[in-house]
Amino acid sequence: MTTVDLQARNLPKFGGFSPGMIRLELRRMVRNKRTVIFTLVMPAVFFLLFGTGGDYKTERVGGGNVTGYILVSMAVYGAMLATTSGGAMVSIERAAGWSRQLRLTPLRPIAYIAVKLVLAMTIGAVSVAVAFGVGALAGAQLPVSAWILCGLLAWVCALVFAAFGLFMGYLLPSENVMQILGPVLAVLSFAGGLFVPLDELGPTFATIAKFTPVYGVGEIARYPLTHDGNLWLAVLNVLVWTTLFAAGAMWRFRRDTARV
Amino acid sequence: MTLTTAPEAAPGTGTAAVDLDGVVKRFGAVTAVDGISLTIRPGEVVALLGPNGAGKTTTVDMLLGLSQPSQGRVAVYGKPPADAVALGLVSAVMQTGGLLKDYTVEETVRLTAVLFGKPRTAVTEALRRAGLTDIGKRLVGKCSGGQQQRLRFAMALLPDPELLILDEPTTGMDVAGRHEFWSAIRDDAARGRTVIFATHYLEEADAYADRVVFVRRGRIVADGTAAEVKALAAGRTVRATLPGATEAALAAIGGVDRAEVRGDTVYLHGNDTDEIARHLLTRTPAKDLEITSRNLEDAFLALTADEETPR
Ligand SMILES: Nc1ncnc2c1ncn2[C@@H]1O[C@H](COP(=O)(O)OP(=O)(O)O)[C@@H](O)[C@H]1O
Ligand SMILES: [Mg+2]
C-alpha cells in the first residue's frame, strides 16, 4: 500500500475541547476518593462542627442567623478547595507523563486548560450545592435572595482558586500536590477572615488580611447577607489575585509547552 | 484510507512516510543525534536498532514533534511532525508515555477516541486488536506492565495512523507479554501500515523488521534488509588457545566461515560451532574453548566493515 490520502483527515473543532472529554474527566475525578472527601465532605463537616453549636442558630446576622453566615464561609472554603484541586490536576498529570501522551493527540494545550477550568468550576458548584443542602437541613437561615446570591458569588469568585490551582499545578510537579495546597488554603482562609471574623484578630492583622487572596472572595460571597464591609475593596482584591495567578499559570504553561 | 485504482494520481503519492535530512540534536555539550538522513517509504517496517544512548528516543521525539532538531529538517508525510500528529497520520507507543491510574482501560481509549473525533465502534475495535477486550473495565493502575503497553498500543491505533512508531515497546515485559505484544503488532503491520520501532534487541529487529537501520552514537552506521541482519546475527564464535595455528589451515576446518588468529588465540566463526569445537578438541591440541553468540557489537562491526569494503 503506497497511496496515502492526506485530505481525508481533519482536525477536531475547538482544539479538542469537547463535552465527551469533560464527561470522562468528571467521572475520573469522582472516582478519586481523596478529591471527594476534600471538596464535598470536609466543608460540610467543618460547617456542622463550627457553625451549629451554642446560640449560633438564634443569633441574627442580616436577614439570617449566624449558622447561615458560617455556612456561606464554609461554602466559599469548599468551592476554593474544589477549584484548587481541579486546577492542580495538571500537576498529577504532568508527574504521570500523561501530558506528554496528550501531546500525541490533536488536543491543543489551551483546550486542555479550558477543560481543566470547566472541571474545576463544575466540582466547585457541586461543593457549594452540597454545603448549602447540608446547611438548610442543619438549621442555617438566610433570606431567599441570599441563598441564591451567596451561593452564586461563592462559586464564581472561586475562579481565583482555579487559577491558583493551575499555577501551582504547573509549578509543583508532584503526585500529591493537594497535600501541600490543603494546609496552604487553610492558612489563607484564617488569614482572610473565613474561619474567624477579622475584627477578632486585632487591627494590624485585620489590615494585612485585606491583602490576602481569600479575603475578597469571603467578603463578596457574604455581602448579600451582611450588606456590610467594603465591597469595592473586595472586588479589587479578587481581580488582582485572579490576574496574578492567571499570569503565573500562563507563564509556567508557556514554558511547559515550549518546544525544546 | 481511500483505495484508488490510479495510485499515481492519488493525493500524497510519492510522499515519503518519513524524511529526515541532516538532522542534528544537541543537549548542551551532548550531541544525541549527529547528522541523520533517512527516508522511509510507506508500507515499510523499519527497526531503529542501537545500544542504549544511541539516540533512538531523541530521533523518535523529533519525528513526533515533541522536540525540535538543532539542525536539519524533519518531515512526516511531507508535513511538520506536529501537524502529522494532530491529523492522526502518525501515532506512537512511547518509552515514557504516561497513563493515568484512575481511568479504566476502556475510558483511556475512549478519551483518545473523543480527542480524535472517532466513534465508539473505533474504541471497541482498538481494544479488540490490542487484545484488551476482556479487561476494558479494569483500572489502569491495576494492569500489568504488558497490559499497559498494549493499552498504549490501542491508543496509538485509534487514529488509524499511516505510520506507527514504537519506542522500545517491550522493555520490562516478560516473554509471554512480549510475544503477545509482537503478534498484535505483526497482525497490524500485515495490513500495510508503516511501522518504525526502536529497539536494542537484535532478535526483535531481525524477527519483525523488513529493514534495519543501525544507529550508534547518533549516526546511522548501517542500513540493510532483515535478511542481511539475519546473516550477521546467525553464527557463533569459537575462541580457543592454539599456538602456532595459521588462518589458512583453520579456515579449512569443516564449518568454519572465517578464521582469525591473534597471537596464541584463535577465533573461528561459523554456524555449526559444535562441529568446529569437536574438531578442535579431537584433532588439535587446542584448549580453553569458549563458544559465544555474536552480539550486537559484533553485528555492528561486521556491517560497518562490509560497507567499507566494496562488494
Ligand atoms: N533531555 C536530554 N538532555 C540531555 N541529554 C539527553 C537528553 N535526552 C537524551 N540525552 C542524551 O542523548 C543521548 C541519546 O539518548 P536517547 O535518544 O535516549 O538514546 P536511546 O533512546 O537510543 O537509548 C544519550 O547520551 C542521552 O544521555
Ligand atoms: Mg530510548
Side-chain angles (χ1 to χ4, degrees):
Chain A
M1 208 177 302
T2 50
T3 43
V4 175
D5 188 352
L6 300 179
Q7 256 85 65
R9 293 173 182 272
N10 298 306
L11 289 174
K13 287 197 203 89
F14 311 120
F17 178 89
S18 71
M21 175 163 185
I22 292 167
R23 266 201 303 278
L24 282 163
E25 289 277 90
L26 267 179
R27 197 199 279 195
R28 178 166 70 89
M29 220 168 173
V30 173
R31 189 171 287 151
N32 188 325
K33 289 183 194 67
R34 196 184 289 169
T35 311
V36 172
I37 290 171
F38 245 117
T39 60
L40 304 183
V41 179
M42 219 166 78
V45 169
F46 276 14
F47 160 72
L48 291 173
L49 283 178
F50 305 122
T52 55
D55 34 342
Y56 286 167
K57 288 186 189 172
T58 49
E59 219 173 297
R60 311 300 296 172
V61 179
N65 58 6
V66 172
T67 301
Y69 177 94
I70 293 173
L71 174 64
V72 176
S73 296
M74 287 307 156
V76 169
Y77 180 60
M80 243 167 63
L81 277 174
T83 52
T84 302
S85 44
M89 276 171 94
V90 299
S91 160
I92 296 155
E93 293 171 19
R94 270 158 38 94
W98 179 245
S99 313
R100 195 171 142 91
Q101 185 73 42
L102 286 177
R103 282 173 69 184
L104 296 184
T105 72
L107 182 69
R108 299 264 64 89
I110 199 77
Y112 172 77
I113 295 290
V115 167
K116 293 296 160 205
L117 281 178
V118 169
L119 281 176
M121 293 311 280
T122 307
I123 43 163
V126 175
S127 172
V128 171
V130 167
F132 271 29
V134 170
L137 295 175
Q141 288 166 11
L142 298 172
V144 176
S145 64
W147 276 114
I148 297 168
L149 287 175
C150 292
L152 270 180
L153 289 171
W155 175 63
V156 171
C157 293
L159 193 60
V160 186
F161 289 94
F164 173 70
L166 275 177
F167 182 23
M168 292 300 131
Y170 276 112
L171 206 57
L172 315 165
S174 147
E175 283 267 10
N176 31 26
V177 63
M178 278 312 286
Q179 261 142 301
I180 304 166
L181 294 185
V184 169
L185 287 182
V187 169
L188 287 177
S189 298
F190 267 109
L194 205 57
F195 292 159
V196 187
L198 283 184
D199 37 5
E200 286 177 20
L201 295 176
T204 321
F205 204 83
T207 311
I208 296 171
K210 293 190 168 72
F211 294 97
T212 63
V214 175
Y215 169 82
V217 185
E219 287 289 296
I220 293 173
R222 287 186 305 244
Y223 192 82
L225 172 65
T226 59
H227 297 285
D228 184 28
N230 190 338
L231 192 57
W232 296 117
L233 187 67
V235 170
L236 185 68
N237 175 299
V238 169
L239 287 180
V240 168
W241 280 109
T242 308
T243 312
L244 280 179
F245 290 144
M250 218 52 215
W251 163 59
R252 295 306 301 190
F253 166 80
R254 288 242 168 81
R255 172 178 283 205
D256 191 59
T257 53
R259 300 278 189 232
V260 285
Chain B
M1 189 184 250
T2 314
L3 283 177
T4 122
T5 45
E8 284 72 26
T13 301
T15 311
V18 163
D19 199 5
L20 295 172
D21 184 15
V23 171
V24 174
K25 179 68 182 179
R26 292 188 202 91
F27 297 104
V30 180
T31 304
V33 171
D34 193 9
I36 285 190
S37 296
L38 179 66
T39 304
I40 292 171
R41 289 180 305 278
E44 281 190 300
V45 177
V46 179
L48 218 49
L49 177 65
N52 283 328
K56 303 182 296 293
T57 300
T58 307
T59 307
V60 164
D61 279 358
M62 289 187 285
L63 282 177
L64 294 170
L66 294 173
S67 71
Q68 295 295 308
S70 316
Q71 235 173 280
R73 206 182 51 86
V74 182
V76 177
Y77 290 99
K79 294 174 188 300
D83 293 359
V85 164
L87 287 169
L89 280 167
V90 51
S91 67
V93 175
M94 290 191 299
Q95 203 172 4
T96 54
L99 294 169
L100 290 177
K101 292 197 285 281
D102 38 9
Y103 264 132
T104 65
V105 167
E106 192 261 355
E107 284 167 350
T108 307
V109 179
R110 183 131 54 93
L111 179 65
T112 315
V114 165
L115 292 174
F116 279 105
K118 298 283 178 185
R120 280 283 185 102
T121 50
V123 175
T124 318
E125 176 65 8
L127 287 173
R128 190 186 63 71
R129 274 159 70 181
L132 293 169
T133 310
D134 294 342
I135 57 161
K137 297 258 181 309
R138 190 172 297 177
L139 284 179
V140 171
K142 299 219 162 29
C143 289
S144 72
Q147 289 167 336
Q148 293 192 359
Q149 201 63 348
R150 272 185 285 145
L151 173 56
R152 291 192 183 96
F153 175 53
M155 293 166 79
L157 282 180
L158 249 169
D160 191 16
E162 297 295 339
L163 167 64
L164 182 61
I165 299 181
L166 311 160
D167 191 5
E168 311 242 359
T170 58
T171 305
M173 281 190 202
D174 58 15
V175 177
R178 201 171 279 223
H179 179 79
E180 270 179 70
F181 185 82
W182 277 114
S183 51
I185 300 280
R186 189 139 60 170
D187 290 349
D188 190 67
R191 296 156 188 248
R193 210 189 294 286
T194 314
V195 178
I196 300 177
F197 65 93
T199 181
H200 63 266
Y201 296 115
L202 187 57
E203 313 86 70
E204 272 187 3
D206 182 16
Y208 305 106
D210 307 327
R211 177 179 168 194
V212 179
V213 175
F214 284 76
V215 187
R216 188 195 210 181
R217 297 202 190 113
R219 289 170 188 267
I220 295 178
V221 292
D223 185 346
T225 65
E228 284 175 87
V229 177
K230 209 175 177 74
L232 287 167
R236 285 184 283 198
T237 301
V238 183
R239 193 196 64 85
T241 308
L242 182 57
T246 64
E247 284 185 3
L250 291 170
I253 299 173
V256 173
D257 296 337
R258 193 157 57 85
E260 250 174 89
V261 177
R262 292 184 213 155
D264 286 349
T265 309
V266 300
Y267 296 85
L268 305 178
H269 308 280
N271 285 324
D272 192 350
T273 40
D274 292 341
E275 185 59 44
I276 299 171
R278 190 170 296 120
H279 181 97
L280 286 179
L281 290 171
T282 53
R283 311 271 176 85
T284 72
K287 50 181 188 169
D288 302 336
L289 257 70
E290 208 175 86
I291 301 182
T292 49
S293 297
R294 256 188 225 181
N295 59 22
L296 193 53
E297 278 309 280
D298 296 333
F300 274 131
L301 291 176
L303 208 61
T304 42
D306 277 357
E307 290 220 323
E308 281 155 15
T309 343
R311 279 173 282 186

